[in-house]
Every structure is written in C-alpha cells, then in structure tokens.
Amino acid sequence: MKLMQVRQLVLFWVTVMVATVSTTQMECFKPESSTSRPTAFNKCSIAIEKMAPDMRLARKSIRFTRNDGEGFKVPESWRQGNCVVHLDVLSDTDSDTATLFGLAIQANVLNNLCVIKEPHLGGSIILGKDRLLNLTIMGASSPRAAIDTS
C-alpha cells in the first residue's frame, strides 16, 4: 500500500471518528444563498491533503494571523481543480491556534457532509482554540478564480 493511500485511509478513519463531534458552527451552503459553484468530493480531498503535506509538522500547534511575521499568515487557500479550501481568521485583529492536521480533519468532515451530497456546494466551519478561524470549502467558477477576502 502506498504512503498516500495509507494517509487517505487514516484521514478517512479519523474523519469518521470526528464526525460525531458537535457541528453547531458548521454550515453547508444552499443554492439560494451561496455564490459557490458545485465541486467534486475527490478534487476537494486532494486540496485538503495539500493543507498538511508533512504530518510531523502538521501536528504542531500554530498561531494563525493576518499579521506578517507573527505565525501562519492567513488568508490561505489550497486548490485542486475548481475546489478551493480557504482558511482565514474572522477579522484583521484576530489570531487563533490550531494544528494543520486538526484543520485537515475538520475539512474532511466538511467535505463528507457538504460536498459529497447534492448540491455539492461546500460549506464553512468555525474552528480554532478560540473559535476565530473560518475554514471554507467551495467550488470556484474556474481553477484560477480569486477568493474575495473582504
């Protein structure tokens, strides 16, 4: 079994386990209230894998902020095809801590609950120690489409 297959299996297993966690701050996009385009589960799975390419580093707690030189700079996006996984803090002055592995797990939960099912638009979840990180999965109009971070 290749390393990538093992990694996908582990992420899937952990995703199933985490899916039982409260998802009160998670929202799947609805066609009437979203500008997201339909996207594909497999494309989003690949984009999520890009979030934490080195599992050893991905388990370290990281500070996420919009300020230069103070941690992991957000907003940040990972793309595959027209699927965009987007991470940001809620406002310019916010910062929060999390691990990339933990964020990838939650992104997989979002992918399993909001992308795999019709209408395949994705969704958003609030994460982080202080609940100041917004993780969004959505379909863009094209692979190069920009994310509006305003």
Side-chain angles (χ1 to χ4, degrees):
M1 191 177 264
K2 292 182 182 178
L3 180 61
M4 186 65 90
Q5 290 172 322
V6 170
R7 211 167 148 219
Q8 287 176 334
L9 183 61
V10 169
L11 277 176
F12 175 75
W13 179 80
V14 173
T15 300
V16 170
M17 299 303 289
V18 173
T20 59
V21 174
S22 171
T23 56
T24 56
Q25 293 193 312
M26 184 187 76
E27 169 190 16
C28 292
F29 298 140
K30 296 174 178 44
E32 61 274 3
S33 61
S34 175
T35 58
S36 179
R37 307 276 183 154
T39 190
F41 176 83
N42 60 338
K43 297 293 184 192
C44 292
S45 295
I46 295 168
I48 292 166
E49 286 178 13
K50 292 178 180 181
M51 292 176 68
D54 185 339
M55 294 304 283
R56 291 169 292 166
L57 297 176
R59 294 192 179 168
K60 292 183 179 182
S61 188
I62 301 171
R63 182 170 180 230
F64 295 86
T65 179
R66 290 185 186 168
N67 300 325
D68 288 327
E70 294 186 18
F72 189 102
K73 180 92 161 100
V74 291
E76 180 65 67
S77 297
W78 298 268
R79 300 166 189 260
Q80 182 67 33
N82 84 321
C83 182
V84 179
V85 178
H86 185 73
L87 180 67
D88 201 357
V89 288
L90 298 179
S91 72
D92 286 340
T93 58
D94 290 338
S95 68
D96 206 344
T97 56
T99 66
L100 284 171
F101 181 72
L103 294 175
I105 294 300
Q106 292 297 327
N108 270 300
V109 170
L110 201 57
N111 197 25
N112 280 303
L113 296 176
C114 298
V115 176
I116 203 166
K117 298 184 217 172
E118 293 275 349
H120 313 292
L121 297 176
S124 182
I125 187 169
I126 303 299
L127 302 166
K129 181 180 173 204
D130 297 322
R131 300 282 190 213
L132 297 173
L133 289 170
N134 182 10
L135 179 74
T136 303
I137 296 179
M138 58 193 232
S141 56
S142 73
R144 299 198 196 302
I147 299 287
D148 179 11
T149 59
S150 58

